[in-house]
Structure formats: structure tokens, C-alpha cells
């Protein structure tokens, strides 16, 4: 087969998409044994297109260049950063496939990614299945997907060019078919280059359609049902035509026009013909509309999830029956992108309507019946490690917000109703970085051991399992009930909000002191210990080129101030390492809780966690970042300085550390933050104190908190 490198057994699996008979390989052609239709093999990819079709975000010439350079260099990622940097977020992050852990599949599943395009879903899923077929009608994007799969070492990815209306696969072939942002497009039979057509008038001639869009969607669903095994499933991710984002005035995702998705179809068609010179054929539906559509396509036992804020890269995936309980998490009250009236609507929005007005849906439908009840894959894995009984099926799975990107985990809440038990599960998003999750689990295990038997042992998660199951690295821990502070980074620092901030900071200080006392290692002489640390900090700053004379003078000033203090002992204790007010501190009726121990250390100074707690809410606040004022001037203007001195007095009183030492905390902490050795997966500039401007200003701060 020359350069095609096709696996012969995979060709044997393909059939003629029209008469469903066997194909015969003849050089670089596949010929139907009955109807004698011939199908080309292009760059090792069998093509069943009956006409040249191109559907992509960018022009064909750019895709051809991307593929050519990716082959030549052997480094598709670097080439993509150069050629299509604006679309890298569509291609490289594995979080586009986070929903795979709610799919009812096993490790050896055969999956079809129908309408795969660049492979944003295909390749993350390829990690954890037997084999996955990527089908698209655009050869250029499939070629790029194939190049990526080869360079990333995935041998179980098979690419096929084909429209979805007639597929070259036998009956009952796949365990699962994925339609991720595709179903709404199947009735739009025109070439599309989004960069040229997004919200612009088209200058081509619309084809004459013989069927309405809904019927074409049903036909595709029926064709997909044909190739799904009995008891197998379809997964559909798609926008809600009456999602709250559209009601709030955001344009339709497919034609970039406001309000068309929930207008009567004939009115939407009039608008798109007038404004875009094309028919309105990208049909989306409401909750009831999708139930009817999937039923007409032949699917039963439909399971619906709401995807927030969008199915493309969802922060939350929630069973629709539970969405009403997640109003605070899923409505964008503080988003700077939300119109002012949307924020008002969000506050008065009835929670019971959320399931119907979710921005996107994720739907799982079944073909026929199966003896074993289907359940999300993550549940089956947790059963396999013995944390859930095999006969327990009254379980809900919720994907909860977490960091994006390949370094980070997929976070799942597991709610077992019969025992009222909740687990928090972290799943390695990209197995290339499994060490990150395993290291965090080891840190949590150490923290659990240190706090065992203390009054705050239940205020951090308890590690229950860490390891690999069916090739998937997971960490399971007890779920910590709680809520994040209301004082978000977009919150104005007026007197009312500062009072709320004061309450949360004080409660957090009380917890932090208990944590530090419970993990106390030893006391050390302040002069000796800090002098040695300052020498170490200076050496690292000098080596990194971060020691201009201005910084050097400030460190000398700090050293002299330390020497001027009397003989004092200071404690060393465990360090959380990222005691961040916005992300890693939860509040509840039982007190303050700490989560995420990826930067945990067994022994260190107590000041980094204190400084992170106090200064992250200030340094990350929009009011400060949009201001040209120095930090101290900003704090004085908003009366924050007086709060900080009160917080330091409280910390000194509770911890027993002399207030003159506590007054040095932010300068010592900023030096520690700036000179740490960070793991490869963490950008140090994501720590607010590390940023050069903030570091210089923090190193200049002096407090006198003495009464």
C-alpha cells in the first residue's frame, strides 16, 4: 500500500456505503465487489466522498501548509502554534473530551467520532479505548488528525473520509458513536470556511434541498443507529436553542445572529436569507425537542446533562434533575462578559427553570436493550477498586469546575444516594502527565497522616485511593462540603464587600493557625534561620537575573530589620503551598476547609500560606489590576491597610508568634515565592506574588501592627 500504511484488517472492516457489500483493495483504490463503485485512498485515508467538500475554520491553502510542515518537522504542535495559533485551543487541550468519563463504555470499546475535524475529541478518547474511528468529510482536517495521532504515538486511531448520511461501516459495529457539535450542521450541505463566513453574507449559491433540516438530522441519527451495536450508545453534545445565553442576548453559535435559535423556523430563515444570503438550516432544539428528535432517530433510555457554560469545554456537566441545586455555580453572576441585565436576571432566575434553559446539553441515548444497566465509566472504575458496591446503581456523577489544560485533572463529584456518601474523584486528563496527580495524592496522604486525630482532620479531604484502573489514573477522596467566598476577583472592594472579606479572612486565619500548630515540626532561631534563607534567596535571584540593585537594597534592609529584633524562636510547620482564597479554601457551617495539596511541603516557614491568603484577593482583584496605583496607595485608598494590620494582629495572637516577626511576613513570603523551584506543570507567573511588578511592591511593604 506504499505510504498509506493502512492496517489490512481495518480495510476489511469497511463496506460500500451505498450497497453495503465488501470492498476489494486494488492499489490505492477500494472497489465495491457488487456495485463496482471506486473509492480513493488519499494520504493513507480511505475517502468515500462523492464530491469535493471542505468544511473548516481556515482556508484550504493554510490547512495544506499546516499538514506539509507538520510532516516535515515531525512537530505538529510547534507548527500549529505558528500557522493557526488562534485555533490551538480547539486542537491541543484534552479538556474538550472531559465528558468521556460519563460515557457507558469499557476499556476495549470501539468508538466512532463522527465529524471529528481536527481531533479535539478523538485523541483524548484514544487514550482509554480499544480503537476509535475519526470520520469527517474534509480530507485536510483528517490528514492533520492522522499526523497528530502518529506523532503522539496513538496506534488505535483510524481515519475515514465520509459524509454521515452514508457510512462505510457494517451494521452493529460500534459500542459508542460521538456527535460532538455536529448534529446541527448535517443539514447544511455547503462548503464552509468559518473565517470567511462567520456572520458575513455568502456569495455562493445555496443548494436546492430535498429535505428539511430536521428530517436530515433524523436520517443521520438513523444511519448512526445502524452501525451501533445492540445495547450500544450515542453521545450528542449540542447547544440548547433556548439557552439562557441566547435569552441574554448572545448571538447564535452557528450564524452569529441574535435570537434566531428560538424564533419560529420560517422567521429565522427570512433573517438569515436577508443578512447572510443562505437558508437557516443549523437547527438546534429545546430539551423536549431533543427528546423527540432522538426518539425519532430510534434511541431510547435518554439521559440528559446540562453542560456549562458550553459543551465545547464545559466547566460543569450536571444531570438535568440536579441543575436546580447548582444555580450559584452555573450562572455567570460575576463574569465581566455578562451584560448588566444578565446579572440582574441571574439573581432572580428561578432555579427550577435552569434545566430547560441550560446553555448546552449532553445526551446519551441507547440502541435497544442490554442486560447490564449502563452507568458512567468512572462509576464502573470506582466499583472496580471496591469503593462502591457492584449492585449499587442509584448514583449521580457531576463534573465540577477545575483548571483547564492537559496538566490538570478532570474533577468529578460522585453522589451515592442510598448511603448518602459523596466522593470527589480526580481523573488524569492526559496520561502523559499522570505523575502530577500521583504526586498530589502522595502529598494528601502525608497531610492526612499529620492531621490524623486533630480537630481539623475532617477539614481536608481524606485520600481513599490513588492509582491506575484500566489505564486511567485516578485519585478518589472524601468530598468536602463547602462553598467558595462571594468576594470574587470581579467584586468591587467597597466598604460592604470589605466587611464580607474581613469575615472570611478571619475565619481562614483561625483555620490556618490550627493547621500550622497541628503540623508543627520544630522551632528555630530566627536570626540564624532567616539569615541563611536570605543568603539562599539572594543567590537564586542573582542566578536568575532578578537581583537589580533596587531589590538587593530592599533585601539588605530586611536583613538589618531582622537583626535588630531580639532573640526569637519561629516555628516551622507543614506548608499548603497554595492557600488561595479563591480556589483552595471552602467555607461551610462546620468551618473552613482546605483542598488541593499539589504544592504541599512537610516543613517550611508559616508565612507563605498567610501571605497567599491575605494578598491574593487584593492582587487578583480587577480594581487593583486596572489601576495605575502602587499597591500601598491602592490599599490605603480602599482602607485595606487597616484590615491587613488587624489580620496580622489576629494571626499573632492566635499563633503566638511575636507581632514584630509577623510584620515581616509579606516580604519573607514574596522572596520565598519568587525563588521557589516550580514543577514543570505550573507557570510561576500564575502565582500573583511571583509577578515582577507585584514582587517589587510586596518587598517594599512594611507594617506596624503593634497595638
Amino acid at each position: 500500500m506504499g505510504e498509506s500504511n493502512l492496517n489490512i484488517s481495518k480495510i476489511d472492516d469497511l463496506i460500500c456505503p451505498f450497497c453495503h457489500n465488501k470492498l476489494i483493495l486494488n492499489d490505492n483504490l477500494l472497489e465495491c465487489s457488487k456495485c463496482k463503485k471506486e473509492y480513493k485512498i488519499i494520504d493513507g485515508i480511505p475517502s468515500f466522498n462523492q464530491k469535493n467538500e471542505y468544511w473548516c475554520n481556515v482556508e484550504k491553502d493554510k490547512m495544506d501548509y499546516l499538514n506539509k510542515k507538520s510532516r516535515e518537522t515531525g512537530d505538529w504542535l510547534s507548527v500549529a502554534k505558528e500557522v493557526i495559533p488562534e485555533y490551538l485551543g480547539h486542537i491541543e487541550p484534552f479538556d474538550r473530551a472531559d465528558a468521556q468519563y460519563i460515557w457507558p463504555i469499557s476499556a476495549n470499546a470501539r468508538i466512532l467520532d463522527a465529524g471529528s475535524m481536527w481531533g479535539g475529541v478523538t485523541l483524548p478518547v484514544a487514550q482509554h479505548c480499544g480503537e476509535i474511528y475519526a470520520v469527517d468529510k474534509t480530507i485536510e482536517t483528517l490528514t492533520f488528525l492522522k499526523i497528530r495521532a502518529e506523532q503522539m504515538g496513538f496506534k488505535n486511531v483510524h481515519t475515514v473520509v465520509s459524509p454521515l448520511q452514508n457510512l462505510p461501516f457494517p451494521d452493529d459495529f460500534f459500542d459508542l458513536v460521538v456527535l460532538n457539535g455536529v448534529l446541527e450542521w448535517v443539514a447544511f450541505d455547503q462548503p464552509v470556511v468559518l473565517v470567511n463566513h462567520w456572520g458575513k453574507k455568502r456569495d455562493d449559491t445555496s443548494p436546492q434541498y430535498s429535505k428539511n433540516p430536521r428530517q436530515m438530522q433524523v436520517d443521520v441519527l438513523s444511519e448512526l443507529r445502524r452501525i451501533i451495536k445492540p445495547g450500544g450508545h450515542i453521545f450528542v453534545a449540542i447547544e440548547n436553542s433556548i439557552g439562557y445565553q441566547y435569552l441574554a442576548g448572545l448571538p447564535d453559535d452557528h450564524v452569529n445572529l441574535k435570537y434566531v435559535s428560538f424564533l419560529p423556523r420560517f422567521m429565522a430563515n427570512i433573517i438569515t436569507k436577508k443578512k447572510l444570503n443562505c437558508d437557516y438550516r443549523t437547527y438546534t432544539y429545546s430539551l423536549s425537542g431533543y427528546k423527540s428528535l432522538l426518539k425519532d432517530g430510534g434511541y431510547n433510555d435518554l439521559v440528559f446533562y446540562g453542560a456549562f457554560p458550553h459543551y465545547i469545554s464545559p466547566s460543569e456537566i450536571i444531570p438535568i434533575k440536579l441543575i436546580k441545586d447548582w444555580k450559584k455555580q452555573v450562572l455567570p453572576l460575576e463574569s465581566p462578559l455578562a451584560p448588566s441585565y444578565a446579572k440582574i436576571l441571574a439573581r432572580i432566575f428561578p432555579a427550577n427553570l435552569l434545566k430547560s434553559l441550560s446553555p448546552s446539553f449532553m445526551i446519551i441515548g441507547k440502541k435497544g436493550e442490554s442486560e447490564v444497566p449502563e452507568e458512567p465509566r468512572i462509576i464502573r472504575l470506582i466499583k472496580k477498586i471496591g469503593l462502591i458496591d457492584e449492585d449499587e446503581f442509584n448514583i449521580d456523577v457531576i463534573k465540577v469546575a477545575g483548571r483547564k489544560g492537559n496538566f490538570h485533572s478532570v474533577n468529578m463529584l460522585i453522589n451515592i444516594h442510598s448511603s448518602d456518601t459523596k466522593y470527589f474523584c480526580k481523573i488524569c486528563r492526559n496520561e502523559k502527565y499522570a505523575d502530577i496527580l500521583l504526586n498530589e495524592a502522595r502529598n494528601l496522604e502525608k497531610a492526612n497522616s499529620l492531621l490524623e486525630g486533630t480537630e481539623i482532620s475532617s477539614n481536608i479531604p481524606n485520600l481513599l485511593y490513588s492509582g491506575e484502573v484500566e489505564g486511567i489514573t485516578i485519585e478518589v477522596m472524601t468530598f468536602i462540603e463547602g462553598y467558595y467566598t462571594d468576594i470574587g476577583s470581579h467584586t468591587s472592594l467597597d466598604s460592604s464587600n470589605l466587611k464580607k472579606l474581613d469575615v472570611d479572612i478571619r475565619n481562614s486565619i483561625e483555620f490556618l493557625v490550627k493547621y500550622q500548630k497541628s503540623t508543627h515540626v520544630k522551632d528555630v532561631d530566627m536570626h540564624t534561620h532567616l539569615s541563611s534563607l536570605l543568603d539562599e534567596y539572594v543567590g537564586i535571584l542573582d542566578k536568575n537575573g532578578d537581583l537589580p540593585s533596587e531589590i538587593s537594597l530592599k533585601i539588605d534592609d530586611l536583613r538589618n530589620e531582622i537583626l535588630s529584633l531580639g532573640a526569637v524562636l519561629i516555628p516551622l510547620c507543614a506548608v499548603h503551598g497554595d492557600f488561595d482564597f479563591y480556589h483552595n479554601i471552602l467555607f461551610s457551617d462546620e468551618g473552613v476547609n482546605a483542598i488541593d495539596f499539589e504544592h504541599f511541603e512537610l516543613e517550611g516557614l508559616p508565612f507563605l500560606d498567610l501571605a497567599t491568603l491575605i494578598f491574593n484577593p487584593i492582587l487578583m482583584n480587577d480594581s487593583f489590576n486596572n489601576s495605575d496605583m502602587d499597591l500601598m496607595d491602592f490599599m490605603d485608598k480602599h482602607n485595606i491597610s487597616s484590615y491587613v494590620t488587624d489580620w496580622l494582629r489576629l494571626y499573632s495572637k492566635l499563633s503566638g508568634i511575636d507581632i514584630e516577626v509577623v510584620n515581616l511576613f509579606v516580604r519573607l513570603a514574596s522572596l520565598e515565592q519568587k525563588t521557589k523551584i516550580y514543577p514543570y506543570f505550573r507557570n510561576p507567573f500564575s502565582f500573583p506574588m511571583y509577578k515582577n511588578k507585584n514582587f517589587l511592591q510586596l518587598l517594599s511593604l512594611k507594617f506596624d501592627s503593634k497595638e
Side-chain angles (χ1 to χ4, degrees):
M1 293 251 352
E3 65 176 334
S4 66
N5 294 323
L6 276 174
N7 186 312
I8 296 298
S9 67
K10 299 309 167 190
I11 293 180
D12 287 344
D13 286 336
L14 300 177
I15 62 171
C16 176
F18 297 99
C19 68
H20 293 185
N21 277 276
K22 181 179 176 61
L23 298 172
I24 300 171
L25 176 63
N26 183 13
D27 291 330
N28 253 19
L29 288 175
L30 292 171
E31 181 182 324
C32 177
S33 60
K34 183 177 181 181
C35 71
K36 303 304 179 182
K37 279 185 169 42
E38 291 183 339
Y39 307 100
K40 296 178 181 179
I41 297 174
I42 306 170
D43 291 332
I45 302 174
S47 175
F48 296 89
N49 275 354
Q50 297 302 294
K51 60 181 180 179
N52 291 328
E53 299 192 60
Y54 187 80
W55 199 108
C56 189
N57 297 66
V58 300
E59 298 92 338
K60 183 179 183 302
D61 288 347
K62 185 173 281 191
M63 277 304 306
D64 288 338
Y65 178 75
L66 174 69
N67 290 334
K68 179 176 180 291
K69 294 295 290 183
S70 294
R71 276 201 196 94
E72 290 175 353
T73 63
D75 186 357
W76 70 267
L77 182 55
S78 294
V79 176
K81 288 178 179 177
E82 172 196 341
V83 179
I84 50 170
E86 68 274 30
Y87 293 110
L88 201 63
H90 292 238
I91 302 168
E92 193 260 347
F94 276 21
D95 50 58
R96 289 174 66 89
D98 283 355
Q100 65 175 298
Y101 304 104
I102 66 171
W103 298 346
I105 58 172
S106 62
N108 60 356
R110 179 187 288 149
I111 296 172
L112 172 65
D113 186 5
S116 57
M117 204 175 172
W118 283 320
V121 171
T122 311
L123 297 185
V125 174
Q127 295 181 108
H128 304 312
C129 68
E131 54 185 350
I132 183 166
Y133 285 74
V135 169
D136 203 277
K137 62 183 180 180
T138 305
I139 183 67
E140 290 80 4
T141 55
L142 272 181
T143 299
F144 185 54
L145 191 161
K146 184 173 185 287
I147 292 169
R148 292 181 62 214
E150 291 170 352
Q151 293 182 4
M152 296 171 71
F154 290 114
K155 300 183 184 301
N156 60 340
V157 176
H158 315 297
T159 46
V160 178
V161 177
S162 176
L164 300 185
Q165 287 78 2
N166 300 99
L167 288 162
F169 303 109
D171 296 355
D172 306 335
F173 190 65
F174 292 101
D175 297 286
L176 177 81
V177 168
V178 177
L179 274 178
N180 196 76
V182 173
L183 185 59
E184 65 271 38
W185 290 102
V186 299
F188 194 86
D189 191 21
Q190 296 167 260
V192 173
V193 179
L194 283 185
V195 71
N196 296 330
H197 297 292
W198 184 240
K200 302 173 185 176
K201 266 198 173 183
R202 300 175 60 91
D203 56 8
D204 57 343
T205 302
S206 297
Q208 296 298 311
Y209 293 99
S210 60
K211 295 181 180 180
N212 67 53
R214 189 183 187 281
Q215 185 56 54
M216 291 179 71
Q217 290 172 328
V218 170
D219 289 348
V220 167
L221 289 170
S222 298
E223 171 67 353
L224 293 172
R225 186 183 184 279
R226 176 185 70 79
I227 62 175
I228 296 174
K229 295 177 182 178
H233 295 83
I234 191 170
F235 170 79
V236 179
I238 194 166
E239 293 88 355
N240 178 5
S241 64
I242 56 171
Y244 62 58
Q245 78 278 23
Y246 298 146
L247 297 175
L250 293 180
D252 176 88
D253 293 66
H254 313 100
V255 295
N256 200 29
L257 298 174
K258 292 182 178 182
Y259 308 123
V260 294
S261 68
F262 52 82
L263 290 176
R265 304 297 193 192
F266 78 93
M267 292 181 64
N269 200 49
I270 293 172
I271 293 171
T272 56
K273 278 192 171 183
K274 179 178 178 58
K275 291 185 175 291
L276 304 178
N277 194 34
C278 68
D279 294 336
Y280 180 71
R281 299 188 63 84
T282 50
Y283 280 16
T284 55
Y285 303 85
S286 64
L287 179 63
S288 61
Y290 285 119
K291 289 179 180 178
S292 173
L293 184 71
L294 270 292
K295 181 180 179 182
D296 288 350
Y299 299 92
N300 52 276
D301 295 351
L302 302 180
V303 177
F304 280 78
Y305 294 82
F308 301 86
H310 199 280
Y311 72 83
I312 287 179
S313 184
S315 292
E316 289 91 8
I317 303 173
I318 307 171
I320 57 167
K321 65 182 179 181
L322 301 180
I323 291 175
K324 66 181 185 300
D325 301 323
W326 289 76
K327 175 181 175 179
K328 184 175 180 180
Q329 288 82 0
V330 302
L331 283 178
L333 292 177
E334 298 299 336
S335 171
L337 301 177
S340 57
Y341 66 87
K343 297 179 184 180
I344 296 172
L345 285 173
R347 288 183 170 85
I348 63 174
F349 197 91
N352 285 331
L353 289 180
L354 267 176
K355 73 174 184 180
S356 298
L357 301 181
S358 300
S360 301
F361 292 122
M362 290 182 168
I363 313 162
I364 297 173
K366 186 198 285 189
K367 174 183 175 178
E369 303 295 332
S370 60
E371 294 180 3
V372 180
E374 62 273 6
E375 57 188 359
R377 186 175 191 180
I378 186 58
I379 294 301
R380 199 168 52 77
L381 297 183
I382 297 178
K383 285 184 176 182
K384 198 167 186 176
I385 62 179
L387 291 176
I388 301 177
D389 291 339
E390 286 289 341
D391 57 354
E392 177 64 72
F393 291 100
N394 190 13
I395 307 170
D396 289 316
V397 177
I398 301 165
K399 179 189 181 292
V400 295
R403 293 192 182 105
K404 305 292 186 182
N406 293 347
F407 292 151
H408 303 296
S409 61
V410 185
N411 297 338
M412 296 280 192
L413 170 60
I414 314 297
N415 188 3
I416 307 169
H417 292 281
S418 62
S419 60
D420 199 26
T421 300
K422 293 181 180 179
Y423 295 137
F424 191 76
C425 181
K426 291 189 173 186
I427 309 168
C428 181
R429 182 175 278 137
N430 186 333
E431 287 296 329
K432 182 179 177 181
Y433 308 112
D435 61 302
I436 299 172
L437 194 59
L438 295 174
N439 181 68
E440 180 183 349
R442 285 191 292 269
N443 287 343
L444 180 56
E445 189 174 30
K446 293 173 186 175
N448 288 155
S449 178
L450 287 174
L451 293 177
E452 185 177 4
T454 69
E455 64 174 306
I456 61 168
S457 62
S458 61
N459 295 96
I460 71 168
N462 183 36
L463 181 67
L464 302 174
Y465 177 84
S466 171
E468 183 182 295
V469 189
E470 293 187 1
I472 301 174
T473 304
I474 63 175
E475 177 187 5
V476 186
M477 63 200 82
T478 54
F479 177 67
I480 297 291
E481 298 277 2
Y483 53 88
Y484 292 106
T485 178
D486 289 332
I487 310 300
S489 58
H490 310 304
T491 308
S492 63
L493 294 176
D494 56 29
S495 58
S496 174
N497 286 326
L498 277 175
K499 288 179 181 178
K500 296 179 184 176
L501 179 66
D502 180 50
V503 173
D504 287 346
I505 292 284
R506 285 177 173 274
N507 288 334
S508 300
I509 286 174
E510 290 181 12
F511 169 83
L512 180 61
V513 170
K514 291 177 182 177
Y515 170 82
Q516 291 176 342
K517 287 185 174 181
S518 297
T519 62
H520 177 263
V521 177
K522 61 184 176 182
D523 293 324
V524 295
D525 175 71
M526 180 185 69
H527 291 162
T528 303
H529 190 79
L530 294 185
S531 177
S532 176
L533 275 181
L534 290 179
D535 289 342
E536 183 180 333
Y537 295 156
V538 167
I540 295 172
L541 290 171
D542 189 34
K543 180 181 178 181
N544 295 340
D546 292 326
L547 193 64
S549 58
E550 184 178 14
I551 298 294
S552 183
L553 289 172
K554 292 185 183 300
I555 294 175
D556 288 342
D557 181 43
L558 175 60
R559 190 190 300 270
N560 291 332
E561 193 170 336
I562 291 170
L563 292 174
S564 71
L565 300 178
V568 177
L569 292 176
I570 55 175
L572 300 182
C573 58
V575 179
H576 180 278
D578 193 13
F579 199 59
D580 179 53
F581 190 69
Y582 292 140
H583 302 108
N584 296 333
I585 298 174
L586 294 174
F587 300 91
S588 68
D589 293 340
E590 286 71 40
V592 174
N593 309 288
I595 59 174
D596 285 349
F597 283 76
E598 58 188 334
H599 300 288
F600 172 84
E601 297 177 27
L602 282 170
E603 181 180 313
L605 287 172
F607 302 131
L608 179 62
D609 285 342
L610 178 64
T612 300
L613 167 66
I614 290 176
F615 277 94
N616 273 18
I618 302 168
L619 297 175
M620 295 173 69
N621 190 271
D622 287 351
S623 300
F624 171 68
N625 287 310
N626 295 330
S627 170
D628 293 329
M629 288 187 289
D630 287 341
L631 178 59
M632 184 55 81
D633 292 338
F634 176 82
M635 291 170 61
D636 288 342
K637 176 184 177 181
H638 291 275
N639 196 34
I640 300 172
S641 298
S642 63
Y643 280 100
V644 173
T645 56
D646 286 343
W647 296 333
L648 297 186
R649 288 172 186 152
L650 174 63
Y651 179 81
S652 174
K653 177 182 177 182
L654 295 176
S655 68
I657 302 175
D658 189 280
I659 190 62
E660 291 185 321
V661 178
V662 173
N663 284 337
L664 307 174
F665 87 111
V666 67
R667 285 179 283 169
L668 290 168
S670 63
L671 281 167
E672 182 178 353
Q673 189 83 86
K674 192 67 176 176
T675 56
K676 272 184 175 294
I677 298 175
Y678 293 91
Y680 69 90
F681 59 85
R682 186 67 186 259
N683 180 357
F685 286 96
S686 64
F687 292 99
M689 287 192 294
Y690 185 93
K691 297 176 181 178
N692 293 332
K693 176 186 174 183
N694 294 343
F695 170 59
L696 178 61
Q697 295 191 54
L698 291 167
L699 200 55
S700 305
L701 290 185
K702 294 186 178 182
F703 295 97
D704 184 2
S705 304
K706 292 180 286 187
E707 298 287 352

